[in-house]
Amino acid sequence: MSLRRPTLLLFAALLILHAYGIASRARAQTPNSDPPFDVRAAGYTKREVMIPMRDGVRLFTSIYTPQDATAQKTYPIMLTRTPYSVAPYGEAELRQELGPSAAFARAGYIFVYQDVRGRFMSEGEFVHVRPHQDTKASAKQITDSTDAYDTVEWLLKNVPGHNARVGMWGISYPGFYTAAGVIDSHPAIKAVSPQAPVADWFTGDDWHHNGTLFLAHAFTWLYNNDRPRPAPTSQTLPRLEYPTPDAYQFFLNAGPISNINEKYFAGERPLWNDITRHGTYDEFWRARNILPHLVNIRPAVMTVGGWFDSENLYGALKTYRAIEDQNPNIFNVLVMGPWEHGHWAGTDGDALGDLRFGAKTAAFYRASIELPFFNFYLKDAKDKGAPRLPEAYLFDTGTNEWRTFESYPPRERKMQSLYFHARGKLAFDQRANEDGFDEYASDPARPVPHLGGVFPGMKRGYMAEDQRHAGRRPDVLVYQSDALTEDLTVIGPVAANLHVSTTGTDADFIVKLIDVYPDDAKDPEPNQNTAPAGGLQMMVRGEPFRAKFRHSFERPEPMKPGAVTRLQWTMPDVCHTFKKGHRLMIHVQSTWFPLVDRNPQKFVDIYRASAADFQKATQRLHRSRRFDSHLKLNVATR
């Protein structure tokens, strides 16, 4: 948020109270879970319409209106545009939930759900993450932003009982449509919340991370969501049923990526075909990067994400940053909680996997952050209340406390380098480093699993998984610091800087930053189906990098066998305090399966590689004054 904004005075008092690093003690005031809400009993009526767009295509839209909405009693409109269906269809059939949470229906809103162009009951052609065009060639040229504009224009003219203010929200793919809808938006749109939005499908969202393919996620999602729709329909197709609960073995048996189409897709997944045809960051992917187009934004924006979001953590952080940098005079806030993909909307948020957060963080967010934001910008003066939001509202996943910041990343921080040392040591001091290297044999036929145990399909919870199962493998390098003598808070992006070599001509390198609990750490109470806290290895951040893209995602280059090569990449942000008595740990490995596809460790087009292309390789991590492999951490100074 720019300090020049006219809304600054509204937040000055709060920002004084919430100076940098002061934790919001949400635990004592966290509300209970949302009580049940009966849409029909609350008096909502439903209307289904086909809204015409500027090119004549009509989009199927469901409108839920409070029965007392009249010229005397008006409500704001909350719009969600989705490719996932606005079911149930039929005006007598009502959704069980309305809006971001039940609190919105209680507060009084008109809710609008729309099948986006070419999906389910809407007309037109569906295009995945339709490329945005800033300059329109004609008055009838469409984008997802023009569809949102035309929808709002129609609603204002044809829906009674509104107060002329519109909000937009959506999670994941609907989050992308929310972000797209705010570009050159209709003047009536006053507040938007893109939540876990898709931003760039090659660099860091969903299908790709730094050139690697997130195999299990891409396979499952595309199987279920990428089948062509020959005509408008209200029917959903059967979901994928895996033939085995062991996804690791399933994808290993599938063999090279080139087998997937023949064995499972039969060429009938258009986006899968595009993924395998566009193995570099070419024009196909660049055109689908929405971030450069997030300009000319007028509404207030609240971007929401989860620190453990295995799908669109990148999208949330980058969407906030792009809007902040390219629109300095609007209200723009970032909210990041200890959540998996979308869990802030449907859970209490008090736990994830083996982790316990000491409070119902999602319930707190819905009641104390999300609803007040929209009420302030969309409600009439007597109902709006105060938004009470700083620049960034972040949950510290080490202390289990909310923190608020007046700038993000916070100014009170310094970059510190965490160096790899001999005998598996980590230290912020490089001077004691001994020249040398550590090595391991990487075998694509026996890849390191990204989760312990057997799991079906794509299990999202890998980012909250105890990492002890991986650290005990011989093909994972493990480095650990001494026990901390004081708390260490890391806020912001984590940058990897490795000097590596390989006996192959390509390789993947995965780096995981881990918080190691003391051996005598106490289990949470109650301790329900969680790993013992003593010695827990909590992954704070992990991210892969495909070495052939070390100079450019557009132009891959082979590695020279045996030559020391520098790899640098930035991992998504963290907000985590490594507490006194804990240790920092780093894992370095070359497979992470089936989360990440297997690299043949040979410079080839992986999407066309045969089984014969896959080979074992010896990977080395070099550590010395000259080859100073390290991680760069943003460490809080206050």
Side-chain angles (χ1 to χ4, degrees):
M1 270 181 282
S2 167
L3 295 180
R4 296 170 293 174
R5 295 176 194 176
T7 55
L8 177 63
L9 292 178
L10 294 172
F11 305 98
L14 179 70
L15 294 178
I16 291 171
L17 292 173
H18 292 284
Y20 172 84
I22 301 300
S24 300
R25 298 297 192 262
R27 295 188 229 192
Q29 53 190 359
T30 300
N32 294 326
S33 306
D34 297 331
F37 182 80
D38 188 324
V39 174
R40 193 179 303 277
Y44 273 85
T45 60
K46 180 183 178 185
R47 174 185 173 197
E48 295 180 339
V49 297
M50 297 293 288
I51 298 181
M53 300 294 103
R54 63 189 62 187
D55 63 345
V57 168
R58 300 178 305 159
L59 304 187
F60 186 91
T61 309
S62 297
I63 304 168
Y64 293 80
T65 306
Q67 286 183 339
D68 61 352
T70 63
Q72 289 73 40
K73 181 112 179 190
T74 60
Y75 298 96
I77 295 173
M78 185 66 76
L79 170 64
T80 298
R81 306 185 65 244
T82 178
Y84 295 132
S85 168
V86 301
Y89 296 93
E91 293 188 341
E93 302 296 325
L94 304 184
R95 296 173 65 96
Q96 293 182 349
E97 299 176 351
L98 292 175
S101 73
F104 281 78
R106 292 189 181 90
Y109 279 79
I110 298 169
F111 300 99
V112 178
Y113 295 88
Q114 183 176 79
D115 286 334
V116 298
R117 181 180 293 256
R119 293 290 283 180
F120 289 91
M121 290 296 288
S122 285
E123 299 173 349
E125 177 190 8
F126 177 69
V127 176
H128 276 294
V129 184
R130 186 184 302 274
H132 183 81
Q133 297 172 322
D134 293 318
T135 302
K136 308 299 183 293
S138 70
K140 292 188 176 181
Q141 185 166 320
I142 60 93
T143 65
D144 288 311
S145 63
T146 65
D147 281 356
Y149 190 106
D150 294 348
T151 297
V152 171
E153 182 72 8
W154 188 94
L155 293 171
L156 294 177
K157 294 177 180 178
N158 294 277
V159 175
H162 65 75
N163 68 359
R165 291 191 282 275
V166 178
M168 289 186 67
W169 81 284
I171 299 173
S172 192
Y173 216 150
F176 161 79
Y177 289 106
T178 300
V182 80
I183 303 170
D184 296 322
S185 61
H186 195 287
I189 298 178
K190 303 299 183 183
V192 301
S193 183
Q195 302 181 5
V198 175
D200 185 342
W201 261 351
F202 191 87
T203 305
D205 277 320
D206 289 312
W207 325 132
H208 300 96
H209 288 232
N210 299 310
T212 65
L213 174 69
F214 266 39
L215 173 62
H217 178 33
F219 178 90
T220 305
W221 191 93
L222 293 170
Y223 188 98
N224 292 325
N225 295 288
D226 194 37
R227 283 170 280 194
R229 182 210 67 167
T233 178
S234 62
Q235 300 302 309
T236 57
L237 295 173
R239 311 293 284 179
L240 170 66
E241 294 291 338
Y242 276 90
T244 170
D246 190 343
Y248 182 94
Q249 195 62 46
F250 171 82
F251 285 105
L252 205 59
N253 292 344
I257 297 294
S258 56
N259 291 348
I260 297 292
N261 240 335
E262 179 182 350
K263 287 188 174 183
Y264 303 107
F265 289 166
E268 296 178 351
R269 301 299 186 276
L271 185 54
W272 178 266
N273 297 335
D274 286 328
I275 288 173
T276 58
R277 279 195 293 260
H278 300 277
T280 64
Y281 196 47
D282 59 12
E283 181 55 31
F284 177 85
W285 298 114
R286 287 195 297 272
R288 283 164 171 76
N289 178 2
I290 195 175
L291 299 173
H293 305 288
L294 293 173
V295 296
N296 300 325
I297 293 175
R298 295 180 292 270
V301 182
M302 181 177 70
T303 305
V304 180
W307 291 128
F308 302 101
D309 186 346
S310 55
E311 299 174 46
N312 299 116
L313 170 61
Y314 176 95
L317 293 168
K318 292 298 183 180
T319 296
Y320 161 77
R321 188 77 260 156
I323 292 174
E324 183 72 10
D325 292 343
Q326 296 167 173
N327 305 270
N329 294 312
I330 68 166
F331 179 83
N332 181 40
V333 62
L334 174 67
V335 180
M336 298 294 298
W339 309 309
E340 225 293 289
H341 190 64
H343 281 189
W344 50 91
T347 71
D348 285 342
D350 57 343
L352 185 62
D354 292 329
L355 306 180
R356 297 293 177 267
F357 305 123
K360 295 180 179 180
T361 64
F364 171 77
Y365 155 76
R366 293 191 295 267
S368 302
I369 300 176
E370 185 177 48
L371 181 64
F373 167 77
F374 278 110
N375 279 351
F376 181 81
Y377 288 102
L378 301 180
K379 286 287 190 176
D380 295 330
K382 63 182 178 62
D383 299 318
K384 66 170 50 182
R388 303 179 63 81
L389 294 176
E391 173 71 14
Y393 221 134
L394 312 179
F395 191 85
D396 185 321
T397 53
T399 62
N400 285 349
E401 294 175 335
W402 286 101
R403 294 180 180 270
T404 59
F405 303 96
E406 61 184 39
S407 63
Y408 188 77
R411 298 183 184 92
E412 294 83 356
R413 62 192 171 100
K414 64 178 179 179
M415 189 75 74
Q416 292 192 15
S417 295
L418 185 62
Y419 294 96
F420 299 90
H421 287 261
R423 294 173 289 280
K425 297 293 185 181
L426 279 178
F428 287 104
D429 187 353
Q430 188 192 11
R431 289 172 296 180
N433 211 342
E434 301 175 20
D435 289 358
F437 59 82
D438 300 303
E439 68 178 23
Y440 56 95
S442 174
D443 184 357
R446 297 191 67 254
V448 179
H450 75 283
L451 287 166
V454 174
F455 50 93
M458 187 201 83
K459 185 177 179 183
R460 291 172 167 174
Y462 81 93
M463 294 178 75
E465 177 86 353
D466 184 354
Q467 294 300 305
R468 281 178 281 202
H469 74 279
R472 291 164 180 163
R473 286 189 48 128
D475 48 358
V476 177
L477 297 181
V478 179
Y479 300 87
Q480 184 172 246
S481 74
D482 293 334
L484 295 173
T485 58
E486 59 183 19
D487 290 356
L488 178 78
T489 300
V490 179
I491 303 178
V494 176
N497 191 322
L498 304 187
H499 294 270
V500 299
S501 61
T502 179
T503 56
T505 51
D506 190 19
D508 292 347
F509 288 91
I510 294 98
V511 170
K512 297 181 292 191
L513 176 64
I514 296 166
D515 182 346
V516 182
Y517 286 37
D519 290 336
D520 59 355
K522 294 182 179 179
D523 292 341
E525 295 181 1
N527 184 21
Q528 298 175 342
N529 302 317
T530 63
L536 180 75
Q537 295 181 12
M538 172 188 176
M539 187 166 71
V540 176
R541 185 62 67 237
E543 195 76 359
F545 190 88
R546 187 147 285 168
K548 68 179 181 181
F549 293 116
R550 62 195 179 279
H551 295 137
S552 166
F553 288 123
E554 292 86 355
R555 292 175 296 280
E557 300 176 31
M559 298 179 74
K560 183 179 178 181
V564 179
T565 302
R566 185 179 187 181
L567 302 181
Q568 294 178 287
W569 72 98
T570 300
M571 297 190 277
D573 300 19
V574 302
C575 179
H576 185 84
T577 295
F578 296 84
K579 299 176 76 172
K580 178 181 177 180
H582 289 222
R583 299 172 187 264
L584 286 79
M585 177 180 282
I586 296 175
H587 287 183
V588 179
Q589 59 199 66
S590 288
T591 50
W592 212 15
F593 191 75
L595 178 71
V596 173
D597 67 320
R598 295 175 300 147
N599 191 324
Q601 303 184 145
K602 176 182 177 182
F603 183 73
V604 295
D605 180 347
I606 295 177
Y607 295 126
R608 284 156 184 78
S610 67
D613 290 318
F614 288 75
Q615 61 185 24
K616 295 180 182 179
T618 298
Q619 324 289 29
R620 287 181 173 177
L621 174 71
H622 297 262
R623 39 169 183 74
S624 65
R625 291 295 185 89
R626 180 184 177 190
F627 301 128
D628 59 338
S629 295
H630 61 275
L631 258 60
K632 290 186 179 295
L633 307 178
N634 288 280
V635 176
T637 57
R638 286 178 53 186

